Amino acid sequence: MHSQLVVSLSGIGPQTLDRCADLAAALDPRQVPLSLLVAPRELGKAQEWVRHRTSLGDAVVLHGLGQRRLPAYEAGLLLMGARLQMDAIGLSADTFAPRRCVASPGTLIALAKHKFNRCADAHAVREVGSGLATLGRLHALTERTSFGELRSLALVYAAARSARRGGLTRITVDARDLHRPGARQAVLDAVDIALAHDAAPTTYVRLPSPRLASAA
């Protein structure tokens, strides 16, 4: 069973725009699209770049609501506000990725009420309506205080192991980490080794439904 590969990018904003563009340019020849984790209030002048990238095949995913105990009512208000901000800058998203990779039960209820299709958390990509999930652990370079060669190797090895097993291989990077020596190359090495194991690049938006995958 071949793996599917999703690469996501968070931390997109004016201060990280050059790093975001550089990573996207390195992935383009590899034919690997990005799932752009967008927090609309943080985009600023980067919004034009995001619109351009979506025209090239990247996918927009709403990013936010990291509180573990956020109740459904409050989550719904925040989701409505985020969607209004997205509309105002000409972007839309029906897939959601929580900050800190954890969505509260209240957030999941609010996502269903507000017609989101998917939620990508730390362990799976879940269909909001049915509750079905495509399992796949998120592999990341996230701890800025302890970033180094060992963390780079860990990302590469994790991507290789996941791709060999088949299923879903997920690599994520925070653009704020890309200034650190070796971070960009670690992400590209992880992508390359997943591709070498025949992982098929896709995005959270285009990922096949678990129902379709189970019927195949």
Side-chain angles (χ1 to χ4, degrees), residues 61-124:
V61 176
L62 183 63
H63 194 216
L65 311 189
Q67 301 92 323
R68 290 176 180 267
R69 298 181 180 179
L70 191 66
Y73 176 73
E74 186 177 345
L77 292 177
L78 293 172
L79 286 171
M80 284 193 298
R83 270 198 161 156
L84 287 173
Q85 292 166 359
M86 294 281 276
D87 290 343
I89 58 177
L91 295 173
S92 63
D94 58 15
T95 298
F96 177 78
R99 291 187 189 272
R100 302 174 188 168
C101 305
V102 177
S104 72
T107 296
L108 293 175
I109 293 170
L111 288 170
K113 181 177 180 180
H114 291 279
K115 309 301 183 185
F116 280 81
N117 292 333
R118 291 177 173 174
C119 178
D121 64 25
H123 303 289

Side-chain angles (χ1 to χ4, degrees), residues 1-183:
M1 177 182 177
H2 290 315
S3 178
Q4 292 173 306
L5 171 66
V6 174
V7 181
S8 58
L9 176 66
S10 63
I12 304 168
Q15 294 182 335
T16 61
L17 183 54
D18 289 346
R19 298 173 214 157
C20 295
D22 177 67
L23 180 65
L27 292 174
D28 283 344
R30 295 166 166 85
Q31 297 184 307
V32 175
L34 280 166
S35 294
L36 304 172
L37 308 189
V38 168
R41 287 185 301 177
E42 299 172 7
L43 277 183
K45 67 178 183 180
Q47 61 186 258
E48 185 58 40
W49 179 79
V50 171
R51 283 193 290 268
H52 172 66
R53 291 302 308 178
T54 59
S55 73
L56 299 178
D58 290 354
V60 173
V61 176
L62 183 63
H63 194 216
L65 311 189
Q67 301 92 323
R68 290 176 180 267
R69 298 181 180 179
L70 191 66
Y73 176 73
E74 186 177 345
L77 292 177
L78 293 172
L79 286 171
M80 284 193 298
R83 270 198 161 156
L84 287 173
Q85 292 166 359
M86 294 281 276
D87 290 343
I89 58 177
L91 295 173
S92 63
D94 58 15
T95 298
F96 177 78
R99 291 187 189 272
R100 302 174 188 168
C101 305
V102 177
S104 72
T107 296
L108 293 175
I109 293 170
L111 288 170
K113 181 177 180 180
H114 291 279
K115 309 301 183 185
F116 280 81
N117 292 333
R118 291 177 173 174
C119 178
D121 64 25
H123 303 289
V125 182
R126 307 180 190 280
E127 288 193 344
V128 172
S130 69
L132 294 173
T134 301
L135 298 180
R137 181 184 174 188
L138 194 61
H139 303 298
L141 294 170
T142 56
E143 296 183 23
R144 300 183 188 91
T145 58
S146 59
F147 182 81
E149 184 177 355
L150 289 178
R151 188 163 296 279
S152 299
L153 291 173
L155 177 65
V156 175
Y157 290 152
R161 184 170 58 250
S162 177
R164 281 197 305 267
R165 291 175 178 172
L168 179 59
T169 298
R170 302 166 65 200
I171 299 168
T172 191
V173 59
D174 188 324
R176 291 167 293 187
D177 285 328
L178 289 173
H179 75 286
R180 292 187 173 271

